[in-house]
Amino acid sequence: MNQPNRYFFQSSPAVIPNLTMEQRDSSSTMQHSIQIEQMVSNILQIILKSQNCDRILSDVASQVGNLLSADICVIVSATDNQPNKINYWCKEQDSGLLPKEVIDYLTNLSLIDGVLSQVQNLLSERFPTQTLLGVETQTQYQINGLILLFKSSAAQWTNSEQEILTHISDSMAIAISQTKLQQQARTKNKHQSLLRNLSREIAHISHPDLLFKNCLTQICNTLQLDRGMVLMLKYQNPLQAKNRRGNKSIRGTVEIACEYSAERDSLDSQTKKFFSFSHSDLCQQAWQTAPQYLCFESDTKFPDLVAENIPDSIQTKGSALLMMPLMGKKNSETSPAVVWGFLVLQHDSFHSWSEDELDLIDWISVQVSTAIVHHQTLNQVQSIVEERTAQLKWSLDVQAKLSEKMRHNIERLQKLNQLKDDFMSSMSHELKTPLTSMKMAIMMLRQAQISPDMKEKYLNILEQEWNREYSLIKDLLTLQEVESGELTYTPQELNLNHTIDNLARAFQEKWHVNKGISLETKISESDLIINTDVDSLTHILNELLLNAGKYSAVDTIIELNIESQATLKGKNIVIKIANLGAGITPEELPHIFDKFRRGQGVTDRAVPGTGLGLALVQYLVEHLNGKIDVTSEPLDCDSEIFATTFVLKLPQFQPAIS
């Protein structure tokens, strides 16, 4: 079956010659079995004991070559999205080395069914004085490697050697797979170590130049890159840079902020180098592609990087290249973020960028971009602080000369005095009116012949006026607790649907009978849960509904809408209470939440109140980490009816209190 001066290929067990009983005796069969078992045991021992994945296949090649008396044993192992890995053993190290062209051919060989017949054509011309025995290794019905054995033509391959190689191919496939797994684990550990180191670097280094230097060195060393660069863009028109849509050419310069070369094993970040952005088609293409990366996996020439105006240091030799953009902060959903620059990584030879590598570099670019944004923001804040400090100094000097502070204090005292008078007037009315009603009810109840219906009526009056006095005193005490910081805060889960139902029933009983006012509620979810202080939220809703009922026109509808709204900081509960009636003038609107302040004309219209309700509402809203706003606008130009809307925003889930 072997031919002198030619190669012998054994591509699968199915084509092994059938050996007759006359061709093998029992002792030969026993010896083959022992050799096969011993070889399989040796391969498994190498896999279990070896701590270095690079040595596993080299040691296995040595074992197989010595067992089968070969001159050269070559193991070709496939790797994911990368060139094949070549391990080989030579009986005579000086004279038996494989030529580089053969290694390059096997490295870039596609391992598919029938690959051995493709290999035969090249090796038969390169080694005419040797014979070759080859076998494919498979895992899960896919070829994961090749075993090639060379022997001088004077020593032909025997059937026994062919049979041994075929039987140990499964163990060889395990060895190749184990090497691959160890290599993947080692690569993952290197990536994780790089992430940890860069996280510390980014957390402790504030200046971008120093950050570029440390990050680029670690990235290139970990990923074994030939070159690395950080390119920063300086736009001639910064406003144009914010809108990449429709802009095919942007004027500006590209600064090589930092550069690494494995050839020189050095980092150059001292001398700044620049070239025109318009002279680099590659940079313009990467700029248009951002925020997506731009990469090339095969040997590719980049003419724009070898022009005369481009520094020699970034000229490519035909390499796999990756350009990962460094993006600024996105100001809005419609406009894209500004491209600060690019992280450029290069291999001189073919390289397929794996998903793990792309994810790793993308994470690094995001962190570096964030560090750049923080540095620029810090500089801007520092500049603003200095500017505001100068303005404040000038303002204080002017105020000192004009005695603005004294006049302001006088005006403030006058306003406080007016508020005091208003408060005393309101309190006098709010205290006397309920007491008068209660006294009248008591007098009527003392009558001997009072009917049960009238008795019930006056008892209701007593209860209502007592509740009114109690609410007033409670508001005053609550206001005092809020201002002194003594108000307790106990967040708990609350079903808004149930709470609103109870409030709506109480509202309808009071206002529908008196003024014909109806309440319509709309909640976005059937079971809307909020985590907040129940007493504070209930007081806020009661006060807002009470306020809406006071100032609503007769036979109108008050709308209460509640929905959950997502924000960058979490979810908010948005509560809107709108009514039609007497509005708030533009002059009064900014002071609507001031203490003891009431709108113009409310006393004339006999609207009860002390001016504490909305002030207390605002305090409680702030107590719940929320925000409240109010608008009041006429329905049309000539209308005396205003649409007044209070908008309350509260965090749906309060932060835990430690």
Side-chain angles (χ1 to χ4, degrees):
M1 190 169 186
N2 297 333
Q3 299 179 5
N5 300 327
R6 299 295 294 168
Y7 296 68
F8 174 83
F9 284 82
Q10 180 61 49
S11 59
S12 67
V15 296
I16 296 177
N18 294 322
L19 304 180
T20 63
M21 293 301 296
E22 290 77 15
Q23 292 174 310
R24 64 172 78 174
D25 54 21
S26 59
S27 61
S28 175
T29 302
M30 180 71 68
Q31 183 179 4
H32 294 166
S33 299
I34 294 173
Q35 288 178 324
I36 292 171
E37 291 177 1
Q38 183 63 40
M39 189 65 223
V40 170
S41 176
N42 291 343
I43 293 173
L44 295 177
Q45 288 297 321
I46 291 172
I47 295 174
L48 294 174
K49 293 182 179 180
S50 178
Q51 300 297 323
N52 187 346
C53 62
D54 293 331
R55 291 289 307 167
I56 291 179
L57 295 184
S58 298
D59 293 341
V60 171
S62 174
Q63 289 280 338
V64 175
N66 284 319
L67 175 66
L68 299 180
S69 302
D71 295 329
I72 301 175
C73 178
V74 181
I75 298 178
V76 182
S77 55
T79 57
D80 294 336
N81 300 320
Q82 299 294 335
N84 301 327
K85 188 173 180 60
I86 308 300
N87 294 86
Y88 66 93
W89 166 88
C90 297
K91 185 177 182 181
E92 298 179 4
Q93 295 295 330
D94 296 333
S95 60
L97 296 177
L98 286 177
K100 183 178 183 302
E101 63 181 83
V102 174
I103 295 177
D104 291 342
Y105 172 78
L106 295 176
T107 298
N108 298 308
L109 185 66
S110 178
L111 299 184
I112 58 176
D113 291 336
V115 69
L116 284 175
S117 61
Q118 301 176 22
V119 178
Q120 180 180 12
N121 295 330
L122 175 70
L123 299 186
S124 61
E125 297 176 1
R126 189 64 183 81
F127 299 99
T129 61
Q130 291 183 323
T131 60
L132 172 70
L133 180 63
V135 68
E136 300 169 353
T137 62
Q138 295 186 0
T139 56
Q140 297 180 350
Y141 304 103
Q142 290 186 348
I143 299 176
N144 73 336
L146 299 176
I147 306 171
L148 305 176
L149 295 169
F150 295 84
K151 184 185 290 189
S152 63
S153 59
Q156 300 299 313
W157 298 104
T158 66
N159 291 335
S160 299
E161 291 169 337
Q162 299 171 32
E163 186 177 5
I164 290 173
L165 181 61
T166 302
H167 278 82
I168 66 173
S169 63
D170 290 340
S171 300
M172 297 291 290
I174 295 174
I176 292 173
S177 297
Q178 181 66 19
T179 302
K180 179 179 176 182
L181 291 175
Q182 289 189 13
Q183 183 66 36
Q184 291 174 346
R186 187 170 66 176
T187 300
K188 184 176 181 180
N189 291 335
K190 288 169 62 178
H191 288 183
Q192 291 177 344
S193 177
L194 175 62
L195 290 178
R196 288 193 298 269
N197 293 337
L198 292 185
S199 295
R200 288 192 291 267
E201 297 282 354
I202 292 171
H204 293 91
I205 298 177
S206 59
H207 199 279
D209 288 344
L210 186 57
L211 180 63
F212 294 158
K213 176 180 177 181
N214 293 353
C215 288
L216 193 60
T217 302
Q218 295 190 47
I219 294 170
C220 293
N221 287 334
T222 301
L223 300 182
Q224 298 181 344
L225 302 170
D226 295 302
R227 275 182 305 282
M229 290 166 285
V230 177
L231 304 181
M232 297 301 295
L233 304 181
K234 296 185 179 296
Y235 298 99
Q236 184 173 335
N237 183 359
L239 294 178
Q240 188 184 20
K242 295 182 180 180
N243 183 13
R244 294 198 303 278
R245 296 188 178 95
N247 290 331
K248 297 183 178 179
S249 178
I250 294 295
R251 294 184 179 181
T253 57
V254 182
E255 174 191 354
I256 306 175
C258 190
E259 179 188 2
Y260 174 87
S261 173
E263 227 175 316
R264 299 191 298 267
D265 192 23
S266 64
L267 189 75
D268 183 7
S269 59
Q270 303 298 325
T271 305
K272 299 297 183 182
K273 303 173 185 178
F274 300 86
F275 60 93
S276 175
F277 185 80
S278 60
H279 290 165
S280 174
D281 292 338
L282 186 64
C283 287
Q284 293 187 40
Q285 183 181 354
W287 184 80
Q288 289 284 353
T289 306
Q292 300 298 320
Y293 57 82
L294 182 67
C295 70
F296 303 86
E297 298 182 341
S298 59
D299 291 354
T300 307
K301 294 289 185 181
F302 305 113
D304 59 313
L305 289 184
V306 295
E308 294 182 358
N309 58 344
I310 305 298
D312 294 337
S313 57
I314 65 168
Q315 292 182 7
T316 60
K317 303 175 182 178
S319 62
L321 178 140
L322 173 65
M323 297 185 73
M324 188 68 70
L326 303 174
M327 305 298 298
K329 184 178 179 181
K330 195 171 183 180
N331 296 324
S332 66
E333 294 295 331
T334 56
S335 61
V338 176
V339 182
W340 297 123
F342 303 98
L343 178 61
V344 183
L345 306 174
Q346 294 177 303
H347 280 283
D348 281 344
S349 58
F350 170 85
H351 180 80
S352 178
W353 301 95
S354 66
E355 290 186 6
D356 289 342
E357 288 177 327
L358 293 173
D359 290 341
L360 173 70
I361 299 169
D362 179 66
W363 181 91
I364 294 172
S365 70
V366 170
Q367 300 305 313
V368 171
S369 300
T370 303
I372 294 173
V373 172
H374 286 174
H375 177 73
Q376 293 186 349
T377 303
L378 184 62
N379 289 341
Q380 292 174 358
V381 170
Q382 184 68 26
S383 176
I384 292 173
V385 169
E386 293 174 356
E387 181 182 354
R388 294 292 184 269
T389 302
Q391 292 177 353
L392 179 61
K393 185 178 181 302
W394 176 84
S395 177
L396 291 175
D397 291 341
V398 172
Q399 288 180 9
K401 294 177 182 179
L402 299 176
S403 302
E404 284 289 340
K405 188 173 183 179
M406 181 63 71
R407 289 200 297 270
H408 175 73
N409 288 337
I410 293 174
E411 293 174 358
R412 187 165 177 266
L413 288 173
Q414 291 174 345
K415 290 181 180 178
L416 289 175
N417 189 53
Q418 182 63 42
L419 288 175
K420 182 199 69 172
D421 293 339
D422 293 343
F423 172 68
M424 295 303 297
S425 176
S426 298
M427 288 298 297
S428 175
H429 179 269
E430 288 299 310
L431 288 172
K432 286 182 179 180
T433 301
L435 290 175
T436 301
S437 299
M438 293 170 69
K439 181 178 180 181
M440 181 273 295
I442 292 172
M443 291 176 60
M444 297 304 296
L445 288 171
R446 288 183 181 277
Q447 294 182 7
Q449 297 182 352
I450 188 171
S451 65
D453 291 340
M454 295 302 295
K455 183 178 180 180
E456 181 68 20
K457 175 182 178 182
Y458 291 121
L459 286 174
N460 288 337
I461 292 175
L462 280 174
E463 184 178 7
Q464 291 173 2
E465 296 304 325
W466 180 89
N467 287 331
R468 183 175 172 183
E469 291 289 332
Y470 176 79
S471 297
L472 176 60
I473 296 172
K474 184 179 179 182
D475 286 351
L476 289 171
L477 293 176
T478 304
L479 182 62
Q480 189 274 333
E481 289 179 348
V482 170
E483 292 183 332
S484 63
E486 297 177 357
L487 184 64
T488 59
Y489 176 63
T490 308
Q492 65 185 66
E493 284 193 357
L494 175 67
N495 190 313
L496 276 177
N497 302 74
H498 297 163
T499 302
I500 296 303
D501 287 342
N502 295 334
L503 290 174
R505 283 194 296 270
F507 180 91
Q508 293 284 33
E509 291 175 3
K510 179 175 183 179
W511 295 104
H512 188 70
V513 175
N514 296 337
K515 298 176 65 176
I517 300 174
S518 300
L519 177 65
E520 289 187 357
T521 62
K522 181 179 179 182
I523 304 178
S524 61
E525 300 175 18
S526 58
D527 288 303
L528 190 56
I529 303 298
I530 185 172
N531 182 276
T532 189
D533 186 86
V534 176
D535 292 337
S536 297
L537 179 59
T538 304
H539 188 100
I540 291 169
L541 295 176
N542 269 322
E543 190 61 41
L544 291 177
L545 287 174
L546 177 64
N547 187 76
K550 285 181 183 180
Y551 298 100
S552 290
V554 177
D555 297 328
T556 57
I557 297 174
I558 297 176
E559 296 180 354
L560 172 59
N561 296 328
I562 304 178
E563 62 179 5
S564 178
Q565 194 175 78
T567 67
L568 294 177
K569 297 182 180 180
K571 288 187 175 181
N572 282 346
I573 295 295
V574 180
I575 302 174
K576 296 181 180 179
I577 298 178
N579 71 288
L580 298 176
I584 308 170
T585 64
E587 293 77 18
E588 290 290 333
L589 197 60
H591 308 287
I592 192 67
F593 295 109
D594 291 352
K595 287 187 298 183
F596 312 129
R597 185 147 185 163
R598 306 193 70 201
Q600 298 178 358
V602 294
T603 304
D604 298 337
R605 297 197 303 270
V607 179
T610 61
L612 286 178
L614 292 181
L616 186 55
V617 164
Q618 187 179 47
Y619 283 134
L620 292 176
V621 169
E622 293 174 353
H623 179 64
L624 299 181
N625 300 318
K627 182 180 178 182
I628 187 169
D629 294 307
V630 59
T631 60
S632 186
E633 298 177 354
L635 293 181
D636 52 57
C637 297
D638 300 326
S639 177
E640 295 182 357
I641 300 297
F642 283 68
T644 303
T645 304
F646 285 82
V647 180
L648 172 64
K649 295 181 179 179
L650 297 172
Q652 187 167 359
F653 302 101
Q654 293 283 358
I657 299 177
S658 57

